[in-house]
Amino acid sequence: MKTKSVEPNIADLANGWLKSYGLDYKLEQESLNSEIDNALDEYLSKSGGKGGNRPDAKLLLQDKELNYWPILIEYKGYKDKLVKLDAAGNVDNTKSKGEPNYQNIKSYAVNGAVHYANALLHHTSYTDVIAIGMTGFRDELGQLQHQISVYYVSKKNLGVGQKVGEYTDLSFLPPPTSIILLKGLGS
């Protein structure tokens, strides 16, 4: 029997947190700003086609220096679909010959979020992006379990992404916690 995706439940959980924190987040089809919208439309899709990239949730946070940081979130609904790493421990979004690994990009939450972050690095003035992957599953008691992993994707790390950490919720996003996180990454 094939396991059913719990992605709608994961999205509901995470979006509920974002709402409870009072964050101005946007869902898939909603506009964050024209620069980000255009970048997501211009960049190759998660399947390799033309544009149409839609992170499950997105928002902009501002640090103490008044720099804006795009936050891109991708949800999946299976236990083993948080992130796929290569042999060097990097997000595995590129094949050996340098072509995009679309199978990983569309199948894993972090890989998809890092892909979206690269769209912004290539087609906007933003140089630092936070990519968040979240997935989950129902345990043997039917309880929803989840995993969250956060990556810093920047021009400094050539868009590969650097793991920030794993979290139990998204409470690190609202200020002042987010400002401390962003300050540490940007310096």
Side-chain angles (χ1 to χ4, degrees), residues 28-90:
E28 285 184 52
Q29 307 286 349
E30 294 179 293
S31 175
L32 192 53
N33 68 34
S34 60
E35 186 180 19
I36 289 173
D37 295 344
N38 291 336
L40 292 169
D41 281 343
E42 289 297 315
Y43 203 62
L44 291 175
S45 75
K46 291 192 308 183
S47 301
K50 178 74 172 115
N53 290 291
R54 291 186 298 276
D56 291 315
K58 54 195 177 275
L59 59 146
L60 282 172
L61 293 179
Q62 196 171 34
D63 64 20
K64 285 186 177 178
E65 285 77 39
L66 305 181
N67 298 308
Y68 282 99
W69 291 67
I71 312 295
L72 304 174
I73 307 172
E74 182 70 0
Y75 305 133
K76 295 293 176 198
Y78 296 102
K79 185 176 186 173
D80 60 347
K81 296 299 182 182
L82 183 61
V83 62
K84 176 74 170 167
L85 301 175
D86 63 18
N90 295 315

Side-chain angles (χ1 to χ4, degrees), residues 9-26:
N9 304 92
I10 293 299
D12 187 54
L13 178 63
N15 294 339
W17 288 332
L18 296 173
K19 182 179 275 189
S20 74
Y21 305 147
L23 294 170
D24 184 21
Y25 66 98
K26 305 296 181 194

Side-chain angles (χ1 to χ4, degrees), residues 5 50 121 159-160:
S5 171
K50 178 74 172 115
L121 295 181
V160 173

